[in-house]
Amino acid sequence: MALSPESMPEKPFDFRAPPPSPIASGRRSCVTNEDVLSEFLEHSLRVPDLVLPDKVFPRQNFIENPPKIDFQLLSSMESDSLSKILDSIARIGCFQLVNYGIEGECIRSALAAAAGIFQLPPEKRRAVTRSPPEKLYGFEEAHGEKEEEGEGKVSEEFVWCRGAGLKLEMEAIWPVGYSNFSEKMESLLCDIEKVAEKILMAIRQNLPPKTDYENDMKQGQDGIGSGCYVYKHSRNMSAEKCSGSLRYDVIRMLIRGFDYSHALCLHVCDGSSEFHVYSKKGWVSFCPDKDALVITVGDQTQALSGGQFKHVIGRPIYKGEEEDCISMAFLYSPPSTTNTTKVEPQKGKNNISLSQQAIAAIVLTLVYHILVFVYNKF
């Protein structure tokens, strides 16, 4: 049925599209506009080519062996031992030490006792694992599934110290063996500290005085004191597996370094094939002499020298060995002088202690209340 004109709305809705935008003068073809747009997008969205270096890992440089210093001639005025030490630690951060007065049997017995630590089963080791990272002693947490199972591990690490916490935890899982090991380590550490103390004293005498020396040296005294890193190096490892583990160790040490602030590190690594020295500026290696201790510079000595001596991290490498090998790195910090220094009272002045002040306050309060009572009474 058709609608009459009267029934239709007066202004119907208009759904037509809006008129097109005006085109600027100087018309260009669609093809030209598309070419300009394509060229603009090509230049603005271009992703730069990323060129990576061929060798991301630090390059290893072999150097001549650092000077071999006779410890017994260190204090001799006629010897040039000290000048060789200062030159070597300024260049590469380490030197070798011989004739240091520690009996070979003392070192060998400590190394033999240390081998027993790494024979503990994994379930017992987990109780003394260095987790969380703030824990400064115990077994280093394994990385990789095979290493957790104890297979294919190039090296293992255990951090020993004089702290009571480590003693309690280790005696709970290895009572007889740990007592023997700790006794031998304590004896060896005492001899190591005597050697390190004399070396550090000689270095200090040839440096200008620093007012903040005590602050630099006290950094290593917080917590549990000096420590020793004990390493087990596995035998008959393939070159590929040894290289992979070495790369992991280098990256971990460059990032973490040692958890202990220290002045010197004395490495017991007789029989090692190579000794690697790592720093933020490079990676060098050499073949250490037989029966020599390798001494590396710590962060405290670098601060003491104003950056003249290089703080480095050292690690021995064992290749082609038919038996597992043990090495040790003793971290030495000089004793803190804050506990031995006595502050004498100033002469001519009377010092009043806190207890005396408290007694005086109580007496004055009682006298005040008595006076108030007497005043109100009379």
Side-chain angles (χ1 to χ4, degrees), residues 329-354:
F330 289 90
L331 275 63
Y332 171 76
S333 294
S336 176
T337 58
T338 55
N339 295 331
T340 58
T341 303
K342 296 183 179 179
V343 180
E344 298 181 357
Q346 297 181 3
K347 296 181 179 181
K349 294 185 178 181
N350 295 325
N351 297 325
I352 302 176
S353 64
L354 291 176

Side-chain angles (χ1 to χ4, degrees), residues 142-151:
H143 64 281
E145 297 180 356
K146 290 185 178 180
E147 291 187 354
E148 291 179 357
E149 297 172 1
E151 300 177 0

Side-chain angles (χ1 to χ4, degrees), residues 286-301:
F286 58 90
C287 298
D289 295 324
K290 182 177 176 57
D291 297 328
L293 293 179
V294 180
I295 315 295
T296 56
V297 171
D299 59 311
Q300 295 178 17
T301 303

Side-chain angles (χ1 to χ4, degrees), residues 64-229:
E64 295 183 0
N65 282 14
K68 188 166 54 175
I69 307 301
D70 190 332
F71 180 72
Q72 304 301 326
L73 300 178
L74 186 60
S75 58
S76 174
M77 300 298 295
E78 300 178 356
S79 174
D80 60 347
S81 299
L82 184 56
S83 62
K84 291 181 179 179
I85 291 178
L86 299 178
D87 177 68
S88 184
I89 61 179
R91 289 186 299 105
I92 59 176
C94 71
F95 63 94
Q96 299 185 95
L97 190 70
V98 297
N99 197 19
Y100 38 83
I102 302 178
E103 296 183 2
E105 180 59 30
C106 179
I107 296 177
R108 288 190 293 269
S109 61
L111 294 174
I117 289 181
F118 300 103
Q119 296 177 1
L120 292 172
E123 58 271 14
K124 289 188 175 182
R125 293 194 193 187
R126 293 190 187 100
V128 199
T129 300
R130 297 185 60 196
S131 180
E134 293 79 12
K135 190 176 181 180
L136 297 180
Y137 57 81
F139 292 95
E140 179 64 28
E141 192 170 6
H143 64 281
E145 297 180 356
K146 290 185 178 180
E147 291 187 354
E148 291 179 357
E149 297 172 1
E151 300 177 0
K153 201 167 186 178
V154 177
S155 64
E156 302 175 50
E157 179 180 321
F158 177 81
V159 183
W160 176 84
C161 66
R162 289 168 167 161
L166 175 62
K167 182 179 179 181
L168 291 175
E169 294 183 21
M170 287 299 298
E171 287 183 347
I173 63 173
W174 193 38
V176 179
Y178 183 76
S179 177
N180 177 56
F181 163 71
S182 184
E183 180 181 347
K184 295 182 182 301
M185 288 293 292
E186 182 67 35
S187 175
L188 178 57
L189 180 57
C190 290
D191 293 336
I192 290 287
E193 287 179 332
K194 294 177 183 178
V195 174
E197 181 181 5
K198 186 174 181 180
I199 295 174
L200 187 60
M201 185 179 301
I203 294 175
R204 288 180 55 189
Q205 292 174 353
N206 287 266
L207 290 174
K210 276 178 67 71
T211 57
D212 56 347
Y213 168 74
E214 295 297 335
N215 294 332
D216 296 334
M217 289 302 175
K218 285 187 289 185
Q219 293 177 5
Q221 302 307 310
D222 299 333
I224 55 179
S226 300
C228 176
Y229 283 70

